[in-house]
Amino acid sequence: MEKPRQSWTGLCNISFGFFGIQIGFALQNANMSRVFQSLGSSLDDLPALWVAAPLTGLLVQPIVGHLSDRTWLGRLGRRRPYFLAGALLAALSLVLMPQSATLLMAALLLWTLDASLNISMEPFRAFVGDMLRPDQHTVGYGVQTAFIGAGAVAGSLFPFLLDHLGVANQAPAGTIPDTVRYSFWAGGAALLAAVAWTVLTTREYSPTELAGFGAAHAGIAAPASTALAARSPLGGAVWIMAGALVAGAVEAWSLEKEVYLLAALLAAYGAATIAAILLARAGRGQAMLASIVGDFAGMPRLMRRLAVVQFFSWSALFIMWINTTPVVAQRWFGTADAASAAFQDAGNWVGVLFSVYNGVAAVAALLVLPWLSRRMGQLRTHALCLLAGALGFAGFFLAATPEQLLLCEVGIGMAWASILAMPYAILASNLPQAKLGIYMGLFNVFVVLPQLLVATVLGSIMRAFFPGEPIWTMAFAAGTLVLAALVTLTLRAEQAQAA
C-alpha cells in the first residue's frame, strides 16, 4: 500500500512552519554581524563570535534526529513536538537578542537562538519524507524551499522597510538600532504563528500506518551496534591525535585562537567514537551515543558522496553570511565604522540583497528547478545551479555600484534553491524510513562542519594574505561552489546504483 498523494494544500501545510523558522534564520544571518559590530566587535573578531551558530547545529541536529525517530506522542505525533518546542525557545531568543547590552550577551543569545531554530528545523526535513510518497519528494522539498525563500525575504527586508517607515536606523555607540530591535520582535511572533499552523493543520502517520505502507517506507536498517562493536578503538585514538596535532600547530605557527575549536572537535569525535565502541561491545549499542556514532560511520555511499557536495556548498554560504555586510560597507559605502550612518545604510542594503537571493530561490524552487530536473536530471540541475552561484559571487569583483549586486544575487539565489531542495529530495527516496530523522540530522553535520572551518580557518587566511580586504572572501565562496559542482557531476553513477 502506498501513501496517499498530498494536494497542494497539504504540501503547503506540511512546510509552512519553515516560513517562520527561516524568518528567524534570515534575521540572524543578515543582522548578527551588524549587531556584533554595533556592540563593539572588530571585523577580525566576527568569525569567532559567529562560531556559536554552527557549533550548536553540529550538536543539536543529530540528537534531535535520533530522538524524533523514536518519539510518538499520540495526537501530537513524532516530529511536531520538536517543531513546537524549538519555536517557543527561538521566539524568546529573538525577543531578547536586541536587548543585548554586551557582546557576551549577544553571543550567548546567538547560541540559544541557533540551537532553538535547529530543534525546529531538523525534523522538518524528515517530516517531508514521512508524509510524502517518493514521486512527490522533489515537489515537496521544492515547496519547502519556496517557503524558506519567502521567509528569508520577509526576515531580510524587515529593517529596510522599517527604516523607510521612519523608524530610527542609527543608535548611540554600543547599542542596537530600533530597526533591528523591532525586526527581531516581529520575527519572533511570525515564527511562532507559522510553526503553530503546521502543527495544527497536519496529522502524522503513526508507526502502525507507516508499517502498512510497506517495507520501502518502514524498513529498519541494520542496528548500528552490529558493525560498531567490530571496530577498533584505535580509530578514535587517531582522531584524538589529529586534534592534538592541530592544537600543536596553533602554537607552533601562531595561528588564530579559533583554530583551537577545530582541534577540540577532532579530539571530541575521537573520544565519542571510543565510548560508542565500548558501549556497543557491552551490549548497549542502542544507547544514543552508540547509535549516532554507528549511523554516522555506516552512512550509505550515496549519502557520503552528497555530503562532500554539501560541505563545499555551505562553505560558500557561511562566507557570504559573515562577510557580506563588511564587504558592502567598505567597498560601496566607503566605511568600516560600525557607528556611522553609512555602515547602517550598508546593513540595510545587505538585507535587500539577501531578500533578492531568497526571493529568487522561492520562485526557482517551484518553477525552474522542476523544469530543469525533468530535462537534465537532478544532479546536472544541481551542478548548473551551483555554477550560477559561483558566477554570482565572482560578480562582486565586477559590480561598480551596490545596485549592480542585485544581478549577482540572482545567481546566488539559484544555487540556494538547489542546495535546499535537490540533495534532500535524492536522499529521502533512498534512505530507510525508520532512520530518516537521524540520517537527515547527520547529513546536516556537513552543513555545519564547513561553517566551523570558515569561522576557524578562513579568518587566519584572510589576516595572513588579505588583511583589511574582506572582498576576497567572495573569491573563496565562488571557488567552493565550483568544487561542489564538479563533485556533483561525478555522482551520476552513484545515484543510479542507489535508486
Side-chain angles (χ1 to χ4, degrees):
M1 183 172 65
E2 182 62 275
K3 294 176 186 175
R5 289 187 65 84
Q6 291 282 345
S7 66
W8 273 101
T9 300
L11 291 171
C12 291
N13 288 340
I14 287 168
S15 290
F16 188 72
F18 228 133
F19 172 76
I21 292 170
Q22 199 59 34
I23 286 176
F25 273 120
L27 287 168
Q28 172 184 297
N29 294 338
N31 294 284
M32 283 313 302
S33 288
R34 181 180 183 182
V35 168
F36 287 145
Q37 288 185 273
S38 294
L39 293 174
S41 171
S42 70
L43 176 62
D44 290 342
D45 289 334
L46 287 181
L49 291 167
W50 267 90
V51 79
L55 183 59
T56 52
L58 182 65
L59 297 173
V60 167
Q61 293 206 29
I63 292 173
V64 172
H66 170 86
L67 293 175
S68 69
D69 281 341
R70 289 158 172 76
T71 296
W72 183 254
L73 297 181
R75 295 181 64 182
L76 196 54
R78 174 182 292 105
R79 316 293 181 187
R80 290 179 298 164
Y82 298 92
F83 301 164
L84 197 55
L88 288 168
L89 292 171
L92 179 60
S93 300
L94 285 168
V95 168
L96 295 176
M97 178 68 76
Q99 302 299 103
S100 299
T102 66
L103 274 174
L104 177 60
M105 181 178 177
L108 290 174
L109 282 169
L110 174 60
W111 193 295
T112 305
L113 173 61
D114 204 79
S116 304
L117 290 171
N118 274 287
I119 290 170
S120 277
M121 181 192 74
E122 196 284 330
F124 262 102
R125 298 295 192 191
F127 192 50
V128 173
D130 290 343
M131 300 296 291
L132 302 182
R133 49 198 286 168
D135 61 357
Q136 285 195 299
H137 282 162
T138 297
V139 68
Y141 284 105
V143 170
Q144 189 174 88
T145 298
F147 278 121
I148 291 172
V153 169
S156 298
L157 280 178
F158 271 149
F160 180 83
L161 294 176
L162 289 174
D163 181 25
H164 280 69
L165 291 173
V167 178
N169 192 47
Q170 280 188 270
T175 59
I176 298 169
D178 284 345
T179 50
V180 177
R181 189 185 310 274
Y182 297 154
S183 294
F184 274 64
W185 294 345
L191 190 159
L192 265 182
V195 170
W197 180 272
T198 288
V199 170
L200 294 172
T201 60
T202 57
R203 185 189 70 84
E204 297 186 64
Y205 296 118
S206 70
T208 302
E209 288 174 309
L210 286 175
F213 293 133
H217 302 292
I220 299 176
S225 57
T226 303
L228 190 63
R231 294 180 60 191
S232 170
L234 290 177
V238 170
W239 285 104
I240 294 174
M241 291 177 60
L245 289 174
V246 171
V250 176
E251 289 291 330
W253 298 333
S254 299
L255 300 179
E256 298 300 325
K257 61 184 181 298
E258 292 88 357
V259 183
Y260 278 119
L261 177 60
L262 179 60
L265 287 172
L266 293 172
Y269 178 68
T273 299
I274 293 172
I277 290 171
L278 295 177
L279 284 169
R281 290 182 176 181
R284 298 176 58 196
Q286 296 307 310
M288 183 165 64
L289 178 63
S291 182
I292 290 174
V293 172
D295 285 330
F296 186 77
M299 288 187 299
R301 188 177 183 185
L302 174 63
M303 183 174 167
R304 289 175 180 270
R305 301 294 299 276
L306 277 172
V308 176
V309 177
Q310 287 291 84
F311 179 88
F312 288 124
S313 302
W314 282 84
S315 295
L317 296 171
F318 199 60
I319 289 170
M320 175 182 69
W321 291 329
I322 290 179
N323 294 288
T324 301
T325 294
V327 166
V328 171
Q330 187 180 101
R331 191 172 181 91
W332 287 280
F333 286 78
T335 184
D337 180 8
S340 67
F343 186 91
Q344 299 302 332
D345 289 339
N348 283 353
W349 185 246
V350 169
V352 174
L353 295 177
F354 281 15
S355 72
V356 170
Y357 88 75
N358 281 292
V360 169
V363 174
L366 288 178
L367 302 179
V368 181
L369 292 186
W371 183 82
L372 284 176
S373 184
R374 287 193 298 269
R375 285 156 178 78
M376 301 175 60
Q378 290 175 320
L379 293 170
R380 288 184 178 178
T381 296
H382 192 44
L384 178 65
C385 290
L386 293 174
L387 290 174
L391 288 174
F393 284 117
F396 272 68
F397 290 87
L398 303 176
T401 66
E403 289 76 18
Q404 291 178 7
L405 294 174
L406 294 171
L407 184 60
C408 300
E409 298 301 322
V410 174
I412 294 170
M414 290 295 298
W416 180 230
S418 194
I419 289 167
L420 290 174
M422 289 302 184
Y424 296 99
I426 294 167
L427 284 179
S429 299
N430 291 284
L431 294 176
Q433 181 74 51
K435 288 197 171 185
L436 199 54
I438 181 60
Y439 276 143
M440 288 296 187
L442 291 172
F443 189 63
N444 283 332
V445 166
F446 297 94
V447 170
V448 173
L449 284 177
Q451 298 179 40
L452 290 171
L453 286 175
V454 168
T456 56
V457 176
L458 185 61
S460 297
I461 295 173
M462 292 299 297
R463 291 182 189 96
F465 297 101
F466 308 104
E469 298 181 81
I471 183 65
W472 288 100
T473 59
M474 298 297 135
F476 283 97
T480 59
L481 283 186
V482 170
L483 288 173
L486 293 176
V487 175
T488 300
L489 291 175
T490 70
L491 295 180
R492 282 177 289 179
E494 298 292 334
Q495 187 187 12
Q497 292 170 10

